[in-house]
Amino acid sequence: MSPTSQKKGRKLDITNDVVKFLKDLQAKQCKQVTLTILALRQDATPHDCALLSGYHPYRRVEIGEYRVIYLLDAETVYLAPVGKRNDDEVYRWLKR
C-alpha cells in the first residue's frame, strides 16, 4: 500500500493536563495509555469504547485501571482528562 493510499487518521487535541498525567505514570502504564490514545487517531470508536451515561457525547476507553475520556468529530479526537477508574476527579471535571 502506498503512503498516499493509506487511511488518514484524525488529529489529536491533547491538553496539558493529559501530558502531565502521562509524565507522572510509571513507564509501563504510560506506554499502555499512550498507545491507546494514539490508536484513537485511526479508530476513534474501538470495540471497547462506550458512550458515557449522563455525559453524552463523551466517550471512554478503558486501559486496565485507567480511563481515557474524549469527544470526537469527523477530523479530531479531543481528549478530556485521563485518570484512574476509581478516581472521581475525571467525572467531576465533566460536570463543570
Side-chain angles (χ1 to χ4, degrees), residues 39-89:
L40 291 173
R41 291 186 66 218
Q42 295 302 321
D43 182 7
T45 56
H47 73 282
D48 60 343
C49 82
L51 283 170
L52 285 180
S53 179
Y55 299 102
H56 184 74
Y58 285 94
R59 297 174 181 269
R60 71 152 166 74
V61 174
E62 300 177 348
I63 309 109
E65 63 183 293
Y66 297 98
R67 302 293 178 263
V68 174
I69 310 295
Y70 64 100
L71 291 169
L72 65 108
D73 63 23
E75 297 178 4
T76 308
V77 174
Y78 303 92
L79 293 179
V82 176
K84 281 194 162 188
R85 179 183 73 194
N86 55 0
D87 181 3
D88 290 335
E89 181 63 30

